[in-house]
Amino acid sequence: MHVKAKKIAIGGLMLAFSIVSMLLGNILELNTVFFLALASFFVGIIIREFGMKTGCAFYLAGVLLGVIVVPNKLYVVTYAAMGIYILLSESVWRQIRKMLGNNTMFSIEQCKVALWVIKYAIFNLMYIPAVLGCSKLLFGKQLSLGMTIGALIAGQIGLFIYDKAYDYAVGIIWNKIRGKLFN
């Protein structure tokens, strides 16, 4: 199969899986966050397979198609935020790898710490304004100070779990699948 045709076919298949995941989050509401996270993982798979430009195009197609197809637009906004997080964290990781390749004065451990600091900064630039400014929309009521603090802490824990799940899904599970898909 021609390289461009394979890229388009795999991208279309991944986009379909991403949209189906968003729709399943709409149908099976107890697992909404799981399905939205799964949908956003496909952005990372495309980035790792085909590069940042294709990943950005895939992300935009996912958001636009989600707006058209998914009934609950708040789920599309959540998918969009998760996708932005993945786009930015993958971009930062690529920059750090480039620095390490240039034999900089930074150790691998320092780069890992810097990556986590940047990832939390990316997340909190989106999450804190959402919790503080849109709590009535997100939670159905205005939160007390204690509940707001709890939501902010829960978000930090959620990011850690999300990021570890993403690394496992894309780094381990996808690598097993891609061997069968690309042969």
Side-chain angles (χ1 to χ4, degrees), residues 78-171:
T78 306
Y79 164 80
M82 290 175 165
I84 285 284
Y85 171 79
I86 288 176
L87 279 170
L88 293 175
S89 63
E90 286 288 333
S91 177
V92 167
W93 174 239
R94 286 169 181 256
Q95 293 302 317
I96 288 175
R97 276 196 353 223
K98 199 181 290 184
M99 279 183 4
L100 285 173
N102 294 334
N103 295 324
T104 63
M105 60 186 171
F106 301 109
S107 70
I108 292 173
E109 291 78 28
Q110 289 172 319
C111 290
K112 285 181 181 180
V113 169
L115 178 63
W116 272 103
V117 167
I118 293 168
K119 283 181 175 186
Y120 270 95
I122 291 167
F123 172 75
N124 284 309
L125 283 172
M126 293 184 291
Y127 185 67
I128 292 172
V131 169
L132 296 178
C134 303
S135 66
K136 204 166 191 179
L137 176 65
L138 295 174
F139 303 107
K141 64 179 181 175
Q142 192 65 34
L143 297 179
S144 66
L145 179 61
M147 291 294 287
T148 302
I149 291 170
L152 292 173
I153 292 171
Q156 308 311 305
I157 296 167
L159 172 66
F160 182 79
I161 294 167
Y162 173 77
D163 201 75
K164 290 295 181 186
Y166 170 71
D167 286 341
Y168 183 78
V170 175

Side-chain angles (χ1 to χ4, degrees), residues 18 21-22 31-43 78-79 82-83 86 162 165-166 169:
S18 189
S21 296
M22 278 192 267
N31 296 319
T32 299
V33 174
F34 169 80
F35 285 118
L36 293 176
L38 178 63
S40 69
F41 290 174
F42 292 110
V43 174
T78 306
Y79 164 80
M82 290 175 165
I86 288 176
Y162 173 77
Y166 170 71

Side-chain angles (χ1 to χ4, degrees), residues 14-92:
M14 295 292 170
L15 186 58
F17 286 146
S18 189
I19 297 302
V20 167
S21 296
M22 278 192 267
L23 287 169
L24 283 172
N26 203 56
I27 295 167
L28 305 170
E29 295 210 6
L30 288 176
N31 296 319
T32 299
V33 174
F34 169 80
F35 285 118
L36 293 176
L38 178 63
S40 69
F41 290 174
F42 292 110
V43 174
I45 290 171
I46 294 296
I47 290 170
R48 290 191 184 185
E49 288 298 324
F50 304 117
M52 287 301 293
K53 284 171 81 173
T54 305
C56 288
F58 179 88
Y59 166 75
L60 289 173
V63 171
L64 292 173
L65 196 55
V67 167
I68 294 168
V69 173
V70 178
N72 191 337
K73 302 310 179 212
L74 186 58
Y75 294 168
V76 178
V77 171
T78 306
Y79 164 80
M82 290 175 165
I84 285 284
Y85 171 79
I86 288 176
L87 279 170
L88 293 175
S89 63
E90 286 288 333
S91 177
V92 167

